[in-house]
Amino acid sequence: MNGRVSALQSLPGVGLAKKLLNRRMLRLFFRDKLTGLGTVLVLVTFFLAVAAPVLSPFPEDAYENVRVAERLQSPSAKHWFGTDRMGRDIFSRVLYGGRVTLFIALAVTLLSIAIGVPLGLVAGYYSGAIHEVIMRVADVFLAIPRIILALSLAAALGPNVPNVIVALSVSFWPRFTRIVEAETQSLRHELYIEASQSLGVSPVSILFRHIFVHTLPTIIVRGTLGIGFTILLAATLGFIGVGVSPPTPEWGLMIAESREYLPGTWWYALFPGLAIFLTVMGYILMGDSLRDAMDPRLRGIEG
Amino acid sequence: MEVRAFVFKRLVLLFPILFGLLLLVFVISRVVPADPAALLAGPMAGREQVESLRHQLGLDRPLYAQFLSYLVQLGKGDLGSSLYSNRPVVEDLIARFPATMELTLVAMTLAIGLGIPLGTIAALRRNSMIDKGLTIFSVGGLSIASFWLGLMCQLFFGMYLNLLPIGGRIVGAPPTTVTGLYLLDSLITGSLGALWSSVVHLLLPGLTLSMPAIATIMRFTRSGVLDSLQRDYVLYERAMGLPERVVVVKYVLRNALNATIAQIGLIFGALLAGTVAIETVFDWPGLGLYAVSSILLFDYKAILGVTLISGITYVLVNLGVDILLVLIDPRGIRRQEA
């Protein structure tokens, strides 16, 4: 256990995590095996995506490439996951697909946090018109199921990576606004906030230095889970045909392409789907563990 | 009295949301695209056609005027005509709505019917192997892409084992239309053949669609039951010697399910949206398949119609759930206001 933690400390970004999670939280975080599995999945999929150009046996297959002689081959020592309709190596494309997918999911989550959190802070801190306007606008965006809103936006914008990011963020930011607003409202009348107000601390400073810090655990938990769900949505958009366009190696798109070759070529659909499954599972397990570690209200119950 | 005021307030709040919904769909169709006329005319249209359509639809007029005439059109129940079939979009939507509703309702029933018992068992056997297994199952259910699960089930049960149909709603003549829901219609008209065929066709799409919902309900039920089990009244009831079964079913579950029930509106929305991918996989002739085939044809008005109708359905279902919760337990008013 200690070995695992100290091995992690050498990684970048862990310094920040250490500030957020004190030692007791870390112990709780790594307590059970599922947490370990989640962390391993997140780190491994991230590493595979970053190192895809080095690890892929056929990096030239990631985008456009045709090898007619090797079309639709079943998995072999040369092509671990088989080949697709163009004769491209599916293993290489699944690795590159991780790059595309993780880039989209991280960008969407960060963008949604950047838009949603400040709005939530402001809406929760002030009452009256500004609160009403922000929250009613958020309600409208929440009134359309996320995938449908993303779908009609992506269809209006056209299929490429930046547009998918916009479409998925537009449907995601209100969720952060809503939870941050609720937390801010409950913190607003705390004694230390009222004390700061009476000392003449500026609202900006109160919001970001005092209230924002307290909403961070929630944002991190929701953000981690959100990365997982965004990967699923991005893959669904790709599958439907409004996500990124070919020849971009995207998991949902690869599964869509495989459909006309079923039932003969099971490997074509199987491996991209497994990649989605394992990656998403990593973020969901990690989000759950972060919540258990950070939220003391759940600690006694869930363990 | 408090209840009536709450219901009234929620109904009044419905109007700004619906108005916002219309505005949002308007913005997506007219402001987001670089050239809405080109988008609405479809990819085959020449420049002259685009220009004449621009004038015909009034897209050269100022935006507020466009919005007003769009509202007037909607007020008449007109969503425009499909570019390809030339049929009014509203007719298409009405024809396809029951198929999606049936699939969504079946998935909802499965999710509640499986999720609540499984979540309760996990909580009662906390930290046992059963609990661990169910936790893995629920995390798996949330992590799996439902369209991929559908495809794999299709491949295995449909193509390899030849046990279940791989697509469609029914084989043979559909039952006489009463509600448009084949299960209900075949029960009403008493045609057992149609009933069996509908059930068999619903099995795979229903189960794959409900997978994430089963997982969500399991998670909420588990933590709700765990929370209730620690309350003093449970200690008291146990001390009084009430049988464990009575304590759980009669007292714990009743309190534990509040959080689960509050989620049902949200889950319904997720299921409704999930039909887009599932209907594509299983060739299910509902709104989702309609939206997807419209996207492939760049039939933009149809997509907007689906967006609008799902938004409205979702808002109304959530309103219904909120009101229902308050009617069941008026203390919920304060919870919802907070």
Side-chain angles (χ1 to χ4, degrees), chain B residues 2-12 319 323 326-327:
Chain B
E2 210 185 348
V3 173
R4 203 180 297 168
F6 172 82
V7 171
F8 181 74
K9 201 179 144 202
R10 283 303 311 258
L11 285 176
V12 171
L319 178 74
I323 290 177
V326 166
L327 289 181

Side-chain angles (χ1 to χ4, degrees), chain B residues 35-54:
Chain B
D35 187 352
L39 194 65
L40 290 166
M44 310 298 204
R47 185 188 290 173
E48 272 163 39
Q49 271 173 292
V50 172
E51 288 311 318
S52 84
L53 189 73
R54 193 192 310 282

Side-chain angles (χ1 to χ4, degrees), chain A residues 103-141:
Chain A
F103 176 71
I104 291 176
L106 289 173
V108 166
T109 308
L110 291 178
L111 200 61
S112 304
I113 289 175
I115 299 167
V117 170
L119 285 175
L121 287 171
V122 171
Y125 191 67
Y126 295 102
S127 44
I130 190 164
H131 167 264
E132 285 302 312
V133 168
I134 293 175
M135 293 321 290
R136 292 297 83 80
V137 171
D139 281 350
V140 169
F141 280 88

